[in-house]
Amino acid sequence: MSQPTNSRGEIHDLGYARYAGPRRPPSASWQVIARQQIAFAWATWWRWKLALGFAVVTTAIGAAILYFVPGGGADRTIAMTTAFYRLPAFIVTMTLTSTLVARDVETGAFGFYFSRPVRPIDYVLGKLVGNFGVMASLLVAGPLLLSLVRMAVAESWSATQAALPMMGVTLLVGVVAALFFTAVPLAMSALLGRRWLALGLWAGYYVPLTTMLAVMGSLRWTPLMAADPPHALNALAFRLGGIKFPSNDPHPSLEASGIALAVVTLAALVAFAAMVMRRGSSSVGASS
Amino acid sequence: MTAPIVRVTRCSKWYGPVLGISDISWTLTGGVIGLLGPNGAGKSTLMKLAAGLIRPSRGTVEVFGQAPADSPEARRRIGYSPEHESSYDDLTGREFVRFLAHLAGVPKQDADGAAVTALDAMGMRGAMDRKIGGYSKGMRQRTKLAATIAHDPDLLILDEPLTGVDPIARAEIIDRIRKIAATGKCVIVSSHVLYEIEALTQTILVIYRGQVLADGDLFAIRRLIDHRPHRIRIVCDQPRVLAARLGAAAHVTKVEVEGTTIAAETNNPDACYDVIGEAVTDAGVKVEELTSPDNNLGAVFEYLTSDGNRHRARITE
């Protein structure tokens, strides 16, 4: 047993004013984590701002092409430009997303999260939403802006209306890409729990592994090319927009691309959530 | 009767084949309690269980009447400071504490004020806008403590909170913790440094090899260890006279005189103090110093955890 609490009416000088204001509902914890993710990404030039600069330049060049070279190739220009946004997205995965959860594991930050009114699902949602926001600023905002430019520079009202479906396509492809670039690196980060390993795995997966699969697919079995995210996302953009591919090289089908991206992203989401639940419940830190 | 703040009932925790704690039952109703035990004894496990970071393998843990691992509401009333460093080095102290206060339930518009107040209380105002990566160990510890109190929790769980803190800051932090506890907050604090615990509280929980060896008031625990004689050290002007009186008492088992100092061992310290008092009044002995080396925490801890003396002592109020 311990000492009883002080039952006498005394006023104690704590030397500081205790917080006595209102409390936020615990169900909003994921929003706090999401906002912190965005603030963290924004805090340095190399995590997000550099990539955002790339995206802005890409958008400016795409908009200039649409403005100065109007006509029938506009949809193709937009579809082709979407590929250029994946470079800054990849940079962000390397500077931020692929190391985030591993960093929390390494520093023991899970202890801080889960000793507060934060559930593992809040953590998962917060990290996903925050990083999706960062990715969407590159992969959704840029292409969407180009679609708007395309509509603005259309010669006629009917041309503007004809450009509307492409806006839907860029939005869908952008969201799918942003989900992929958020979920997969986060999952790898959670699975490995070590920053450099997670970084290596993600880079190894995105650059050599899937590229090799794409090469093998182009030589042997075209659907295998859908395992390469850039090819799958290109196929989505061109095939959904009904746009002719710029080259006669083989390209995966719409179905294969959609399925491949959905499977990888869903698997990553499940793995991410499962690992956080596991790490959250087994906790961190001292041995005793 | 006061409702318990923490109730641990027949609780065990294994990490695979490794035992964390074994069949512990313990109730905490308030105040400051010092958790003592050597490395690997199970102190951090018990603290993590109370903080809701881990679930028991067997038994139950309740904090404010709820299982902390399942109850965000209960965890909102807890401030937990882990033993190991865990912070975001690229954030400033202010950003870090603000984020954690916000996470703990303080609304966004109030979080900065709560963070600054807590950092100020821990003597970190001057450095709070610097990155944590550049902090010393003591500054990190103080920042961690600020994050623990920023949302004004009702239960503070502090795992080795004074590690790496300089002596002045240590005294300040001890004082702060005592003041927080005096307002009715409950504090569970662990430390390897016994005098730190002694400065904070007389109520202790001694854990050894995953089991509770002793729980309750330090002096009451000491009184329970009756089969080990209490040592009393007296410095006086007539040591021979006083030693003769002590030697004649049945409860005194050993008397040694060296210069003006008497070292006595007794099974009944109160009766022994009576003999000393009588010597002062009857024989005019002037006592310059009277100490009991066994009544400090170190002696009790050493005794309880030493091999061959393993037993449980439990004090009930």
Side-chain angles (χ1 to χ4, degrees), chain A residues 1-6 12-26 29 32-33 35-37 40 43-44 47 100 103-104 106-120 123 127 280-288, chain B residues 27-32 40-42 44-45 48 51 53-54 72-73 75-76 80 82-88 90-91 96 99-100 102-108 110 117 121 144 147 149-152 176 179-180 182-185 203 215-216 315 317:
Chain A
M1 298 288 170
S2 62
Q3 291 172 332
T5 52
N6 189 351
H12 297 272
D13 175 21
L14 278 178
Y16 75 103
R18 285 158 46 192
Y19 177 73
R23 305 282 172 166
R24 176 185 53 72
S29 293
V32 180
I33 297 170
R35 274 199 294 268
Q36 199 270 343
Q37 287 303 294
F40 178 69
T44 54
R47 281 197 202 111
L100 273 176
R103 170 174 166 264
D104 284 349
E106 283 180 358
T107 57
F110 274 35
F112 274 133
Y113 281 106
F114 298 126
S115 65
R116 288 178 169 74
V118 176
R119 300 162 299 171
Y123 180 89
K127 293 279 176 186
S281 61
S282 63
S283 191
V284 286
S287 58
S288 61
Chain B
T27 304
L28 176 63
T29 52
V32 185
S44 293
T45 297
K48 284 182 186 175
L53 277 172
I54 51 175
E73 282 298 336
R75 291 206 299 278
R76 191 154 75 170
Y80 171 66
E83 177 186 1
H84 293 280
E85 271 187 29
S86 43
S87 56
Y88 290 152
D90 28 26
L91 296 185
F96 180 64
F99 169 55
L100 291 179
H102 193 20
L103 207 57
V106 179
K108 193 182 176 192
D110 296 335
T117 306
K144 217 161 62 174
I149 63 167
H151 59 290
D152 192 34
R176 189 78 67 208
K179 282 177 172 171
I180 289 170
T183 63
K185 306 280 183 190
T203 312
D215 169 18
I315 312 302
E317 289 172 293

Side-chain angles (χ1 to χ4, degrees), chain B residues 44-95:
Chain B
S44 293
T45 297
L46 188 58
M47 292 183 130
K48 284 182 186 175
L49 283 164
L53 277 172
I54 51 175
R55 293 167 200 278
S57 307
R58 188 178 292 169
T60 58
V61 178
E62 286 177 23
V63 176
F64 303 114
Q66 294 172 303
D70 298 322
S71 169
E73 282 298 336
R75 291 206 299 278
R76 191 154 75 170
R77 298 176 66 186
I78 296 171
Y80 171 66
S81 174
E83 177 186 1
H84 293 280
E85 271 187 29
S86 43
S87 56
Y88 290 152
D89 284 359
D90 28 26
L91 296 185
T92 65
R94 184 179 187 162
E95 289 168 343

Side-chain angles (χ1 to χ4, degrees), chain A:
Chain A
M1 298 288 170
S2 62
Q3 291 172 332
T5 52
N6 189 351
S7 56
R8 290 174 298 156
E10 286 183 60
I11 296 171
H12 297 272
D13 175 21
L14 278 178
Y16 75 103
R18 285 158 46 192
Y19 177 73
R23 305 282 172 166
R24 176 185 53 72
S27 57
S29 293
W30 68 270
Q31 294 169 23
V32 180
I33 297 170
R35 274 199 294 268
Q36 199 270 343
Q37 287 303 294
I38 291 170
F40 178 69
W42 189 252
T44 54
W45 64 268
W46 48 272
R47 281 197 202 111
W48 183 15
K49 289 174 186 168
L50 176 70
L52 210 54
F54 271 111
V56 168
V57 170
T58 303
T59 308
I61 293 171
I65 293 171
L66 289 171
Y67 183 76
F68 290 111
V69 194
D75 283 349
R76 183 187 285 186
T77 304
I78 293 171
M80 285 175 70
T81 312
T82 56
F84 288 96
Y85 290 102
R86 281 174 227 138
L87 174 64
F90 179 66
I91 292 173
V92 171
T93 62
M94 295 295 285
T95 58
L96 182 76
T97 330
S98 64
T99 58
L100 273 176
V101 186
R103 170 174 166 264
D104 284 349
V105 174
E106 283 180 358
T107 57
F110 274 35
F112 274 133
Y113 281 106
F114 298 126
S115 65
R116 288 178 169 74
V118 176
R119 300 162 299 171
I121 191 69
D122 296 321
Y123 180 89
V124 169
L125 262 179
K127 293 279 176 186
L128 277 175
V129 172
N131 288 290
F132 179 82
V134 172
M135 285 299 172
S137 73
L138 309 168
L139 295 161
V140 178
L144 212 55
L145 209 61
L146 280 183
S147 298
L148 285 171
V149 171
R150 156 135 172 57
M151 288 167 73
V153 299
E155 301 87 354
S156 62
W157 174 240
S158 60
T160 303
Q161 285 178 310
L164 259 177
M166 195 56 199
M167 181 178 261
V169 170
T170 53
L171 185 65
L172 179 68
V173 174
V175 167
V176 169
L179 267 176
F180 170 83
F181 279 102
T182 302
V184 179
L186 278 177
M188 290 180 177
S189 189
L191 278 168
L192 294 177
R194 289 284 173 270
R195 267 178 275 198
W196 287 108
L197 287 179
L199 198 68
L201 179 63
W202 163 246
Y205 163 77
Y206 189 76
V207 182
L209 179 67
T210 57
T211 307
M212 278 197 299
L213 289 174
V215 171
M216 284 167 62
S218 68
L219 296 173
R220 299 273 177 179
W221 188 50
T222 313
L224 189 59
M225 295 179 77
D228 181 39
H231 273 94
L233 289 166
N234 269 347
L236 276 190
F238 280 84
R239 293 195 192 280
L240 281 173
I243 305 159
K244 193 173 178 294
F245 282 100
S247 70
N248 288 326
D249 295 338
H251 295 280
S253 67
L254 179 65
E255 294 79 10
S257 302
I259 289 169
L261 286 167
V263 166
V264 172
T265 305
L266 278 174
L269 286 172
V270 170
F272 176 42
M275 284 311 292
V276 170
M277 304 278 177
R278 193 171 148 222
R279 291 191 188 279
S281 61
S282 63
S283 191
V284 286
S287 58
S288 61

Side-chain angles (χ1 to χ4, degrees), chain B residues 56-314:
Chain B
S57 307
R58 188 178 292 169
T60 58
V61 178
E62 286 177 23
V63 176
F64 303 114
Q66 294 172 303
D70 298 322
S71 169
E73 282 298 336
R75 291 206 299 278
R76 191 154 75 170
R77 298 176 66 186
I78 296 171
Y80 171 66
S81 174
E83 177 186 1
H84 293 280
E85 271 187 29
S86 43
S87 56
Y88 290 152
D89 284 359
D90 28 26
L91 296 185
T92 65
R94 184 179 187 162
E95 289 168 343
F96 180 64
V97 178
R98 181 174 60 206
F99 169 55
L100 291 179
H102 193 20
L103 207 57
V106 179
K108 193 182 176 192
Q109 65 273 17
D110 296 335
D112 191 58
V116 171
T117 306
L119 282 160
D120 193 27
M122 288 298 159
M124 285 296 292
R125 181 178 269 271
M128 68 183 181
D129 289 319
R130 279 164 44 196
K131 300 252 191 237
I132 293 174
Y135 283 1
S136 67
K137 193 169 182 186
M139 290 163 86
R140 284 167 182 266
Q141 197 72 283
R142 285 198 266 172
T143 305
K144 217 161 62 174
L145 286 168
T148 307
I149 63 167
H151 59 290
D152 192 34
D154 295 319
L155 170 64
L156 290 174
I157 301 172
L158 311 175
D159 200 352
E160 304 279 352
L162 300 168
T163 306
V165 180
D166 63 79
I168 296 170
R170 185 172 303 199
E172 285 172 8
I173 291 169
I174 286 173
D175 183 50
R176 189 78 67 208
I177 292 171
R178 291 178 71 154
K179 282 177 172 171
I180 289 170
T183 63
K185 306 280 183 190
C186 183
V187 184
I188 304 173
V189 58
S190 74
S191 177
H192 289 104
V193 186
L194 301 184
Y195 78 82
E196 288 175 356
I197 294 284
E198 221 166 3
L200 277 167
T201 181
Q202 295 296 330
T203 312
I204 58 167
L205 181 77
V206 183
I207 300 181
Y208 187 71
R209 293 182 182 169
Q211 292 189 307
V212 174
L213 279 187
D215 169 18
D217 180 78
L218 169 65
F219 297 108
I221 290 170
R222 181 64 192 91
R223 279 197 297 274
L224 277 185
I225 311 169
D226 282 337
H227 54 279
R228 190 194 195 199
H230 296 238
R231 288 175 295 169
I232 296 173
R233 185 174 164 275
I234 312 135
V235 180
C236 63
D237 63 341
Q238 300 175 57
R240 301 277 164 198
V241 174
L242 183 52
R245 285 189 175 228
L246 288 169
H251 50 80
V252 176
T253 55
K254 187 178 173 185
V255 182
E256 285 177 356
V257 179
E258 191 179 329
T260 56
T261 303
I262 303 168
E265 288 187 3
T266 175
N267 292 324
N268 189 342
D270 290 339
C272 191
Y273 293 133
D274 288 344
V275 172
I276 297 166
E278 284 163 14
V280 169
T281 51
D282 300 348
V285 175
K286 288 182 182 168
V287 175
E288 292 168 17
E289 195 180 316
L290 180 66
T291 52
S292 176
D294 285 352
N295 270 350
N296 67 42
L297 188 51
V300 172
F301 181 70
E302 185 190 345
Y303 176 75
L304 286 171
T305 57
S306 62
D307 289 332
N309 289 323
R310 194 104 327 109
H311 73 289
R312 287 174 186 238
R314 187 170 183 84

